[in-house]
Amino acid sequence: MSAGPVTKSDAAWRLAVRPALITQFVLYLGGYAALLGWFKSVDVYHLHFADTGALILVHNLFRILFVFYLFWMVQAAGAVLLRLIGRLRPQQVGMAGYLAVTFFAGAGVWQVVLFAVGYAGLLNAPIMIVLATPMVAASFGEVRAAIPALHMSLARLWQSGALAKSLVVLLFLSWAALLIVKGLYPGNGIYYYEPYLQTYKAFLVEGSLWPHAAWWFSFYCQGAGLFFLGMLLTDAMAVQLVTFCLVSVAGLTTLLFIRHLTPRSHWPLAGAVLLFATFVYTPGWAEFRKLHEFNTAFVVAILWMTTMALAAAGPARKIWWCAAASTLIAAIIASNYIGVFLGVVFAVLALAYFALGERARAFACFGLAALGGFLVADTLAINYLVYGLFNGWDPTLTLLWQFADVEKVYRMGALPTVVDILNSVSHSNAARVHIAWAEFLIRALRLEIFWPLVLGGGLVAAIALRDRFSDGKASGRHVPDAALVLSVALAVYVLLALVVGRSDASTFYRFSSFTVPIVIVAGIALWTATPRPRATLLRWFAGPAGPIAVLLLCGAMLVGKTRFDPGVPRLAVHALEYTIGAISIDDAYTQPSEGGFTVPWADIYPGVRGVYAVVGPHTPVLSLNFHTFCELPDCRIMWSATSILVPGIEQVLWGTPEKARATLQKAGLDFFLVSRATPLAYGPLLASPLFSPDNIGKIFGVRWTDGATTLLTWAGPATFAIDEKWLAGYRSQLAESRSRLATARGRTDELTAVFDRLRTLPHPWHPSDVPRRQAGWPNVPEQ
């Protein structure tokens, strides 16, 4: 229908509005330019690492501004994608729903682009700015449309009663607490520096995703494209801000998912509050500097979009399915393991809908299952082409070792490490004890926190089901699509937990934090059942007070879990102090770790400060000890157990000290750290002739020492000789590590036997040339 002719008044209004729009656009881009200028010019992380005061406060404000622009640059990419597919208007799903679906669709676009950029060798700041700036510009229209709509929604919510206001305040407070504790504060956790940060930084130093010194964790981290984007636009602390942004949108998605189930209640707000509050303090899991919480956001978004697609009709259904597919791509690039879970979920959903005679839905679910399977296979194939392996230290390495390209692994200099990992997996699998399945599932599903929600909801749902049967309404399909999606997801998770999770309970527990929003949504879905309100108590819980009561009970569970933990008030105080600038970045990194980690330092081992002062940033230093963390700017203290990628490494492990020295020097490894404060990481390298007590004093000299920590390098004019007292201490420490790590000593003997055999065989070597321990490793009896 024609809009009619443009009148003079219309034209005058547009001319009057245009300068205002241009001003707003310039201000919007100006904020983004100021953000880049702050991080690239002021550069607090590198130049003011130990400073306090207003500078740190302003820095944190810019970091919050980065979260804002990150959201919109990702959302704009999704909006462009969904416009190409169809016309999804905010009016169709509400502005909040529109922002959530476009954000996750955009995450898929960014993950694909950044993965390709990484393998093209273009991981650098100028390329990231070139990619991000058009998306920031494109998001201006999205921001202008969203602000008044969100303002109106919040105003309506604020006018809906005291209970709703209280929940909105709780939602903001829990979100703000998550921002301060997990987003802004340079939080410390278990084993972040050695495998994760070193791998992230190695990718960025090399500018690509191709093999590098920290190759061992590349299998897990090469899909961290959004982390790389944030680190290159800002600094190394952007990792947790990216995760915070994703979890924030996951909270919005959780709210929308629950609102779809119960649109006129307080449950959506209560569910979002519970999600944010649960993630504020999570010792030992949900560390925002690792990749696990990508899954938390992506999985709940995929399940929500699947539910919306199943409920939609016409062109809108295609948009929802495409958004779910884009998010699925983002999730599997980040972690191909989550692809196995999601692939099985959609395969089971396809079978369920086929059984119900709903073929259109069955084919759509089957399409996502096939996409998931293809992407998992694709990521494994890329790993194989690049590394000669399908994956690293996990069941995949063991199961698919027979297909490994041993020659490629050998040429990279990684074969001794890979064979040692195979030994380690065999030893650790033999030593693992399966815990009781009920105890494990309670922890894995976080039911120690959510049992009031799940148990109470289960009771309500059971009464409603009984009423349905007693009223004779049990015929036909009465299971809503949302209930079917959630039930299948939880059933598949429980099956995987029982089959593979109990054998490595701690790792599975950390990996499976994505179940938190699923359990919250599923628990609330149980409460939305409608039994006949016979009892006054049931009527009370079915009313507006029900969400508040359940939220208070779950809050009590959270408090009960943490009230005796001295880390809670300590973490809260330090996080607030850092946010306002009372302590520096350096101070924050040196605070005691949460989660009961045993070393007395956090992310900066005291001895590395002297080492860093001598060698400077970017210089690789191979540490022979555990836990010598160094989060000083661009510090490269590399752990010998995971950071060796040296062609000809067998010359280092078994050759003469002179050949070992030449090989390491050629690889650019000239500095080595030895500490008395933490155990030696006994393994193949420390068992080599080069580092034997008889040879170490002849080949190396002391470049620097504080008595407890020693920096070794090749003996020369800039060093002084290793004395007998130091050698005696090293000898004693080495013997203690050998005794304490008897398993590692056995693995080293096995590794030597394997290579003794390999050297008798002609090239190319094959997987069958490397005997598997369970088949009887040579020269080593079974323990």
PDB file of all heavy atoms in Angstrom, residues 673-694:
ATOM      1  N   LEU A 673      63.662 -21.931  34.396  1.00  0.00           N
ATOM      2  CA  LEU A 673      63.376 -21.541  35.772  1.00  0.00           C
ATOM      3  C   LEU A 673      63.323 -22.781  36.658  1.00  0.00           C
ATOM      4  O   LEU A 673      62.676 -23.778  36.304  1.00  0.00           O
ATOM      5  CB  LEU A 673      62.028 -20.805  35.828  1.00  0.00           C
ATOM      6  CG  LEU A 673      61.556 -20.228  37.167  1.00  0.00           C
ATOM      7  CD1 LEU A 673      60.641 -19.036  36.913  1.00  0.00           C
ATOM      8  CD2 LEU A 673      60.802 -21.261  38.010  1.00  0.00           C
ATOM      9  N   VAL A 674      63.991 -22.701  37.792  1.00  0.00           N
ATOM     10  CA  VAL A 674      63.962 -23.766  38.795  1.00  0.00           C
ATOM     11  C   VAL A 674      63.618 -23.126  40.132  1.00  0.00           C
ATOM     12  O   VAL A 674      64.256 -22.151  40.539  1.00  0.00           O
ATOM     13  CB  VAL A 674      65.303 -24.513  38.892  1.00  0.00           C
ATOM     14  CG1 VAL A 674      65.209 -25.625  39.939  1.00  0.00           C
ATOM     15  CG2 VAL A 674      65.693 -25.095  37.537  1.00  0.00           C
ATOM     16  N   SER A 675      62.605 -23.656  40.797  1.00  0.00           N
ATOM     17  CA  SER A 675      62.146 -23.089  42.068  1.00  0.00           C
ATOM     18  C   SER A 675      62.250 -24.121  43.184  1.00  0.00           C
ATOM     19  O   SER A 675      61.987 -25.302  42.977  1.00  0.00           O
ATOM     20  CB  SER A 675      60.695 -22.616  41.941  1.00  0.00           C
ATOM     21  OG  SER A 675      60.172 -22.300  43.206  1.00  0.00           O
ATOM     22  N   ARG A 676      62.600 -23.643  44.377  1.00  0.00           N
ATOM     23  CA  ARG A 676      62.599 -24.492  45.568  1.00  0.00           C
ATOM     24  C   ARG A 676      61.243 -24.439  46.277  1.00  0.00           C
ATOM     25  O   ARG A 676      60.992 -25.225  47.183  1.00  0.00           O
ATOM     26  CB  ARG A 676      63.685 -24.017  46.534  1.00  0.00           C
ATOM     27  CG  ARG A 676      65.094 -24.128  45.979  1.00  0.00           C
ATOM     28  CD  ARG A 676      65.594 -25.575  46.027  1.00  0.00           C
ATOM     29  NE  ARG A 676      66.868 -25.707  45.344  1.00  0.00           N
ATOM     30  CZ  ARG A 676      68.036 -25.387  45.890  1.00  0.00           C
ATOM     31  NH1 ARG A 676      68.083 -24.913  47.118  1.00  0.00           N
ATOM     32  NH2 ARG A 676      69.155 -25.541  45.212  1.00  0.00           N
ATOM     33  N   ALA A 677      60.376 -23.480  45.887  1.00  0.00           N
ATOM     34  CA  ALA A 677      59.126 -23.254  46.613  1.00  0.00           C
ATOM     35  C   ALA A 677      57.980 -24.132  46.141  1.00  0.00           C
ATOM     36  O   ALA A 677      56.937 -24.183  46.788  1.00  0.00           O
ATOM     37  CB  ALA A 677      58.718 -21.786  46.480  1.00  0.00           C
ATOM     38  N   THR A 678      58.162 -24.808  45.030  1.00  0.00           N
ATOM     39  CA  THR A 678      57.089 -25.622  44.458  1.00  0.00           C
ATOM     40  C   THR A 678      57.716 -26.852  43.812  1.00  0.00           C
ATOM     41  O   THR A 678      58.871 -26.796  43.359  1.00  0.00           O
ATOM     42  CB  THR A 678      56.276 -24.799  43.434  1.00  0.00           C
ATOM     43  OG1 THR A 678      55.256 -25.603  42.859  1.00  0.00           O
ATOM     44  CG2 THR A 678      57.158 -24.259  42.333  1.00  0.00           C
ATOM     45  N   PRO A 679      57.020 -27.985  43.766  1.00  0.00           N
ATOM     46  CA  PRO A 679      57.642 -29.223  43.275  1.00  0.00           C
ATOM     47  C   PRO A 679      58.086 -29.143  41.822  1.00  0.00           C
ATOM     48  O   PRO A 679      57.497 -28.427  41.007  1.00  0.00           O
ATOM     49  CB  PRO A 679      56.535 -30.270  43.448  1.00  0.00           C
ATOM     50  CG  PRO A 679      55.605 -29.691  44.451  1.00  0.00           C
ATOM     51  CD  PRO A 679      55.661 -28.207  44.277  1.00  0.00           C
ATOM     52  N   LEU A 680      59.132 -29.873  41.517  1.00  0.00           N
ATOM     53  CA  LEU A 680      59.548 -30.030  40.132  1.00  0.00           C
ATOM     54  C   LEU A 680      58.501 -30.843  39.376  1.00  0.00           C
ATOM     55  O   LEU A 680      57.917 -31.791  39.908  1.00  0.00           O
ATOM     56  CB  LEU A 680      60.894 -30.740  40.042  1.00  0.00           C
ATOM     57  CG  LEU A 680      62.124 -29.955  40.516  1.00  0.00           C
ATOM     58  CD1 LEU A 680      63.339 -30.873  40.577  1.00  0.00           C
ATOM     59  CD2 LEU A 680      62.401 -28.773  39.602  1.00  0.00           C
ATOM     60  N   ALA A 681      58.268 -30.470  38.119  1.00  0.00           N
ATOM     61  CA  ALA A 681      57.307 -31.182  37.269  1.00  0.00           C
ATOM     62  C   ALA A 681      58.025 -32.361  36.627  1.00  0.00           C
ATOM     63  O   ALA A 681      58.400 -32.324  35.453  1.00  0.00           O
ATOM     64  CB  ALA A 681      56.726 -30.248  36.209  1.00  0.00           C
ATOM     65  N   TYR A 682      58.241 -33.403  37.421  1.00  0.00           N
ATOM     66  CA  TYR A 682      59.044 -34.518  36.932  1.00  0.00           C
ATOM     67  C   TYR A 682      58.380 -35.164  35.726  1.00  0.00           C
ATOM     68  O   TYR A 682      57.191 -35.436  35.710  1.00  0.00           O
ATOM     69  CB  TYR A 682      59.259 -35.566  38.016  1.00  0.00           C
ATOM     70  CG  TYR A 682      60.201 -36.661  37.559  1.00  0.00           C
ATOM     71  CD1 TYR A 682      61.572 -36.434  37.561  1.00  0.00           C
ATOM     72  CD2 TYR A 682      59.718 -37.865  37.070  1.00  0.00           C
ATOM     73  CE1 TYR A 682      62.447 -37.398  37.106  1.00  0.00           C
ATOM     74  CE2 TYR A 682      60.577 -38.844  36.611  1.00  0.00           C
ATOM     75  CZ  TYR A 682      61.946 -38.608  36.634  1.00  0.00           C
ATOM     76  OH  TYR A 682      62.808 -39.565  36.163  1.00  0.00           O
ATOM     77  N   GLY A 683      59.190 -35.391  34.717  1.00  0.00           N
ATOM     78  CA  GLY A 683      58.705 -36.007  33.490  1.00  0.00           C
ATOM     79  C   GLY A 683      59.860 -36.248  32.545  1.00  0.00           C
ATOM     80  O   GLY A 683      61.030 -36.240  32.956  1.00  0.00           O
ATOM     81  N   PRO A 684      59.573 -36.456  31.260  1.00  0.00           N
ATOM     82  CA  PRO A 684      60.634 -36.790  30.303  1.00  0.00           C
ATOM     83  C   PRO A 684      61.760 -35.758  30.240  1.00  0.00           C
ATOM     84  O   PRO A 684      62.924 -36.122  30.118  1.00  0.00           O
ATOM     85  CB  PRO A 684      59.872 -36.874  28.971  1.00  0.00           C
ATOM     86  CG  PRO A 684      58.470 -37.199  29.353  1.00  0.00           C
ATOM     87  CD  PRO A 684      58.230 -36.512  30.646  1.00  0.00           C
ATOM     88  N   LEU A 685      61.415 -34.469  30.337  1.00  0.00           N
ATOM     89  CA  LEU A 685      62.460 -33.454  30.215  1.00  0.00           C
ATOM     90  C   LEU A 685      63.426 -33.516  31.396  1.00  0.00           C
ATOM     91  O   LEU A 685      64.654 -33.484  31.209  1.00  0.00           O
ATOM     92  CB  LEU A 685      61.829 -32.066  30.122  1.00  0.00           C
ATOM     93  CG  LEU A 685      62.812 -30.932  29.807  1.00  0.00           C
ATOM     94  CD1 LEU A 685      63.378 -31.090  28.411  1.00  0.00           C
ATOM     95  CD2 LEU A 685      62.132 -29.575  29.940  1.00  0.00           C
ATOM     96  N   LEU A 686      62.907 -33.621  32.602  1.00  0.00           N
ATOM     97  CA  LEU A 686      63.784 -33.680  33.773  1.00  0.00           C
ATOM     98  C   LEU A 686      64.539 -35.000  33.847  1.00  0.00           C
ATOM     99  O   LEU A 686      65.555 -35.088  34.543  1.00  0.00           O
ATOM    100  CB  LEU A 686      62.978 -33.466  35.050  1.00  0.00           C
ATOM    101  CG  LEU A 686      62.645 -32.010  35.386  1.00  0.00           C
ATOM    102  CD1 LEU A 686      61.841 -31.930  36.670  1.00  0.00           C
ATOM    103  CD2 LEU A 686      63.899 -31.177  35.501  1.00  0.00           C
ATOM    104  N   ALA A 687      64.063 -36.023  33.158  1.00  0.00           N
ATOM    105  CA  ALA A 687      64.781 -37.298  33.135  1.00  0.00           C
ATOM    106  C   ALA A 687      65.860 -37.336  32.058  1.00  0.00           C
ATOM    107  O   ALA A 687      66.581 -38.331  31.935  1.00  0.00           O
ATOM    108  CB  ALA A 687      63.789 -38.447  32.898  1.00  0.00           C
ATOM    109  N   SER A 688      65.998 -36.246  31.296  1.00  0.00           N
ATOM    110  CA  SER A 688      66.965 -36.213  30.200  1.00  0.00           C
ATOM    111  C   SER A 688      68.383 -36.018  30.731  1.00  0.00           C
ATOM    112  O   SER A 688      68.588 -35.499  31.840  1.00  0.00           O
ATOM    113  CB  SER A 688      66.618 -35.075  29.241  1.00  0.00           C
ATOM    114  OG  SER A 688      66.820 -33.820  29.873  1.00  0.00           O
ATOM    115  N   PRO A 689      69.382 -36.406  29.948  1.00  0.00           N
ATOM    116  CA  PRO A 689      70.777 -36.172  30.356  1.00  0.00           C
ATOM    117  C   PRO A 689      71.091 -34.696  30.584  1.00  0.00           C
ATOM    118  O   PRO A 689      71.882 -34.346  31.457  1.00  0.00           O
ATOM    119  CB  PRO A 689      71.586 -36.741  29.186  1.00  0.00           C
ATOM    120  CG  PRO A 689      70.681 -37.769  28.572  1.00  0.00           C
ATOM    121  CD  PRO A 689      69.300 -37.223  28.717  1.00  0.00           C
ATOM    122  N   LEU A 690      70.437 -33.807  29.810  1.00  0.00           N
ATOM    123  CA  LEU A 690      70.710 -32.376  29.933  1.00  0.00           C
ATOM    124  C   LEU A 690      70.433 -31.856  31.338  1.00  0.00           C
ATOM    125  O   LEU A 690      71.202 -31.054  31.879  1.00  0.00           O
ATOM    126  CB  LEU A 690      69.863 -31.602  28.914  1.00  0.00           C
ATOM    127  CG  LEU A 690      69.998 -30.080  28.960  1.00  0.00           C
ATOM    128  CD1 LEU A 690      71.400 -29.651  28.560  1.00  0.00           C
ATOM    129  CD2 LEU A 690      68.952 -29.438  28.047  1.00  0.00           C
ATOM    130  N   PHE A 691      69.351 -32.319  31.938  1.00  0.00           N
ATOM    131  CA  PHE A 691      68.949 -31.804  33.243  1.00  0.00           C
ATOM    132  C   PHE A 691      69.283 -32.759  34.382  1.00  0.00           C
ATOM    133  O   PHE A 691      68.766 -32.602  35.488  1.00  0.00           O
ATOM    134  CB  PHE A 691      67.443 -31.489  33.234  1.00  0.00           C
ATOM    135  CG  PHE A 691      67.099 -30.288  32.397  1.00  0.00           C
ATOM    136  CD1 PHE A 691      66.591 -30.441  31.122  1.00  0.00           C
ATOM    137  CD2 PHE A 691      67.318 -29.015  32.885  1.00  0.00           C
ATOM    138  CE1 PHE A 691      66.281 -29.341  30.346  1.00  0.00           C
ATOM    139  CE2 PHE A 691      67.008 -27.906  32.115  1.00  0.00           C
ATOM    140  CZ  PHE A 691      66.495 -28.059  30.839  1.00  0.00           C
ATOM    141  N   SER A 692      70.143 -33.715  34.127  1.00  0.00           N
ATOM    142  CA  SER A 692      70.580 -34.587  35.214  1.00  0.00           C
ATOM    143  C   SER A 692      71.487 -33.802  36.165  1.00  0.00           C
ATOM    144  O   SER A 692      72.184 -32.865  35.746  1.00  0.00           O
ATOM    145  CB  SER A 692      71.331 -35.790  34.657  1.00  0.00           C
ATOM    146  OG  SER A 692      72.597 -35.388  34.158  1.00  0.00           O
ATOM    147  N   PRO A 693      71.508 -34.134  37.439  1.00  0.00           N
ATOM    148  CA  PRO A 693      72.363 -33.412  38.390  1.00  0.00           C
ATOM    149  C   PRO A 693      73.842 -33.434  38.004  1.00  0.00           C
ATOM    150  O   PRO A 693      74.589 -32.506  38.337  1.00  0.00           O
ATOM    151  CB  PRO A 693      72.121 -34.146  39.708  1.00  0.00           C
ATOM    152  CG  PRO A 693      70.762 -34.746  39.570  1.00  0.00           C
ATOM    153  CD  PRO A 693      70.653 -35.128  38.113  1.00  0.00           C
ATOM    154  N   ASP A 694      74.250 -34.460  37.264  1.00  0.00           N
ATOM    155  CA  ASP A 694      75.655 -34.551  36.881  1.00  0.00           C
ATOM    156  C   ASP A 694      76.024 -33.578  35.767  1.00  0.00           C
ATOM    157  O   ASP A 694      77.191 -33.191  35.637  1.00  0.00           O
ATOM    158  CB  ASP A 694      75.985 -35.981  36.440  1.00  0.00           C
ATOM    159  CG  ASP A 694      75.894 -36.977  37.584  1.00  0.00           C
ATOM    160  OD1 ASP A 694      76.059 -36.551  38.742  1.00  0.00           O
ATOM    161  OD2 ASP A 694      75.631 -38.163  37.306  1.00  0.00           O
TER     162      ASP A 694
END
